[in-house]
Amino acid sequence: MEDSISPTYTGKIHPPYSDQISLLKTTSASSKAGKIFYAVLGSALIAGIVWFILMLFFWKWSTYAAIAAGLYFLIATIRSMLKSQCASCPYCGFEVGSKSLLQLSLNDKDLQFACERCYEWLVSDASKVRAFRETDVGSKKEFDCPVIANGVWPNECIVCGAEATQRLSARTFGVGLSSLLIGRLSVSYGSVKNIPYCAAHTDAISVKDSDNKLWAVFNDYSARRRYLYVNKLQFAGRQKNRA
């Protein structure tokens, strides 16, 4: 991937930032119950991983250690989930932190996360949720985003906004670690095609496979937002045509 210091952008796509600030509020009892259910599954997975690793060393107490690790994770997670908060996404209004394993807290300090519906990056800080901006980037060099099914790319170089003269692909190979616990080797492969570049730029985007999802990894936050923006416009156009 190219250097994260991007050249001056000369294109025409300038996604607006939301100025809205949402206040955190306590999640509902049903949301907490759902979170606890997934916490139980997560603790079982952790216990299984610990047991598998210790069994490789033929440790006779591996079962007890695995149970202890699972219970410790479960108790710590439930304590956190009982205090979980949620808020409206400043961009799309979706209630973030309510349905997923995302844990928002009144004590958050510049916690960066993504909205599960619109994928915009947000920040939870001191009981408020706001848009993640360029000033929040700091030393970050990678900005991931789920690859949108049937999505489109900007009709310009994804790096600088100049006329696109080439369309390239990014690929990834991954090994499913969870499958190794049951003695199977699972190899996943994914690719993203038609990434637009001008003659001066290539390889500004890589691809990774995480949680059975394909992610595009940008080296510039603005490029990530431009990708999201053109797909939002396309989705809005489809909805209008159906009406």
Side-chain angles (χ1 to χ4, degrees):
M1 187 179 288
E2 291 184 350
D3 196 302
S4 61
I5 299 177
S6 301
T8 301
Y9 176 69
T10 59
K12 299 180 180 180
I13 304 173
H14 299 280
Y17 285 98
S18 173
D19 293 324
Q20 181 178 336
I21 296 177
S22 301
L23 298 178
L24 289 176
K25 61 182 180 181
T26 303
T27 56
S28 66
S30 59
S31 294
K32 290 178 180 177
K35 288 174 177 285
I36 292 174
F37 171 76
Y38 285 108
V40 172
L41 295 181
S43 64
L45 177 60
I46 289 177
I49 293 174
V50 171
W51 176 83
F52 177 77
I53 293 174
L54 293 179
M55 282 296 292
L56 293 177
F57 296 96
F58 302 101
W59 194 42
K60 65 179 181 179
W61 303 108
S62 58
T63 300
Y64 298 105
I67 294 174
L71 287 175
Y72 178 82
F73 172 82
L74 179 61
I75 293 172
T77 305
I78 289 178
R79 284 180 177 176
S80 174
M81 289 180 173
L82 291 176
K83 299 178 182 179
S84 63
Q85 302 283 307
C86 60
S88 298
C89 172
Y91 286 98
C92 69
F94 182 76
E95 194 170 72
V96 293
S98 179
K99 301 295 183 182
S100 70
L101 292 178
L102 171 67
Q103 295 298 309
L104 300 180
S105 167
L106 296 174
N107 298 321
D108 288 340
K109 299 295 183 183
D110 294 325
L111 173 67
Q112 177 257 310
F113 64 98
C115 173
E116 301 156 69
R117 176 191 283 173
C118 68
Y119 306 128
E120 287 282 5
W121 277 13
L122 308 172
V123 173
S124 176
D125 181 58
S127 77
K128 298 177 181 178
V129 172
R130 60 173 176 82
F132 182 97
R133 295 175 175 268
E134 291 286 347
T135 52
D136 296 304
V137 169
S139 60
K140 283 183 179 290
K141 296 182 178 180
E142 293 187 348
F143 309 89
D144 58 11
C145 176
V147 174
I148 299 174
N150 301 316
V152 298
W153 288 94
N155 191 26
E156 60 181 31
C157 175
I158 193 63
V159 178
C160 67
E163 180 182 359
T165 60
Q166 52 184 335
R167 300 268 176 171
L168 305 179
S169 299
R171 298 178 176 85
T172 183
F173 289 92
V175 177
L177 296 179
S178 60
S179 62
L180 294 178
L181 294 176
I182 55 176
R184 297 178 181 176
L185 176 63
S186 174
V187 179
S188 60
Y189 167 79
S191 66
V192 176
K193 301 179 179 179
N194 298 319
I195 304 173
Y197 295 103
C198 65
H201 297 115
T202 58
D203 300 328
I205 296 172
S206 61
V207 179
K208 68 178 182 180
D209 183 8
S210 178
D211 298 327
N212 295 320
K213 292 182 180 179
L214 197 60
W215 297 72
V217 183
F218 298 78
N219 67 1
D220 177 60
Y221 181 56
S222 295
R224 180 192 188 276
R225 297 201 71 236
R226 292 194 293 272
Y227 170 69
L228 279 181
Y229 187 66
V230 295
N231 280 283
K232 288 179 184 179
L233 292 179
Q234 177 187 245
F235 178 77
R238 288 176 180 173
Q239 294 296 99
K240 184 177 180 181
N241 291 333
R242 291 175 183 174

